[in-house]
Amino acid sequence: MRVLVLNGPNLGRLGRRQPEIYGTTTSAELAELCVGWGRDVGLEVEVRQTNHEGELLDWLNAAADDATPVVLNAAAWTHYSWAIYDACAQLTAPLVEVHLSDPRQRPEEFRHTSVVTPYAVEVIAGLGVDGYRRALEVLARG
Ligand code: DQA
């Protein structure tokens, strides 16, 4: 089964971006880890990252058309993008929401809501990069 791991804005700077919050694993390392974790559980994983909301929308729309399961870390868009909410609503295969940190435990109010959660079969937050492994396991279990 093919699975898309989609990462939103600023996640391309993982490893350098606020490592005390997001850890020291780089975006390229995370992508490699996801491919390996996927292989371990029989999934063909493709990892993408974008700082452009329209690009993420196009990927989600294509995933809806192909019934591709998605692991989504929409980063800051999680908290306010109604366009991403509408795109998630159209998905036809399971969606798992992932965050490296736990936005609900963070001090900024704006992080306490998610437009993705209503359409996610599971939300995995606060486990760092290991959250992606867990998300792939959820999808592999079906
Ligand atoms: C994040 C949490 C978001 O609040 C933040 O805007 C991010 C990353 C996470 O993975 O912890 O960019 O999604």
Side-chain angles (χ1 to χ4, degrees):
M1 180 168 68
R2 184 171 161 264
V3 168
L4 280 176
V5 174
L6 302 180
N7 285 325
N10 301 308
L11 292 173
R13 296 195 69 260
L14 278 183
R16 286 167 293 159
R17 174 194 181 196
Q18 295 179 285
E20 68 286 4
I21 296 176
Y22 300 114
T24 52
T25 306
T26 67
S27 183
E29 288 165 349
L30 174 63
E32 244 178 74
L33 285 167
C34 286
V35 169
W37 288 327
R39 200 180 301 123
D40 291 345
V41 292
L43 301 175
E44 189 193 315
V45 175
E46 188 181 332
V47 184
R48 300 179 190 164
Q49 188 276 326
T50 184
N51 289 334
H52 305 277
E53 190 177 0
E55 188 162 41
L56 180 58
L57 293 171
D58 288 345
W59 293 341
L60 289 168
N61 287 180
D65 285 338
D66 306 347
T68 304
V70 172
V71 173
L72 177 60
N73 184 348
W77 293 327
T78 303
H79 310 304
Y80 66 88
S81 170
W82 297 117
I84 286 173
Y85 173 84
D86 283 347
C88 290
Q90 299 172 52
L91 290 172
T92 45
L95 162 70
V96 179
E97 177 179 357
V98 171
H99 300 282
L100 295 148
S101 65
D102 185 349
R104 289 180 186 272
Q105 301 301 321
R106 292 178 62 181
E108 304 98 327
E109 271 295 301
F110 78 85
R111 294 191 205 278
H112 299 173
T113 55
S114 167
V115 301
V116 177
T117 298
Y119 299 107
V121 294
E122 204 157 317
V123 180
I124 300 169
L127 301 180
V129 291
D130 203 50
Y132 288 79
R133 184 177 62 77
R134 306 260 190 121
L136 291 167
E137 283 170 5
V138 168
L139 292 177
R141 257 185 263 128

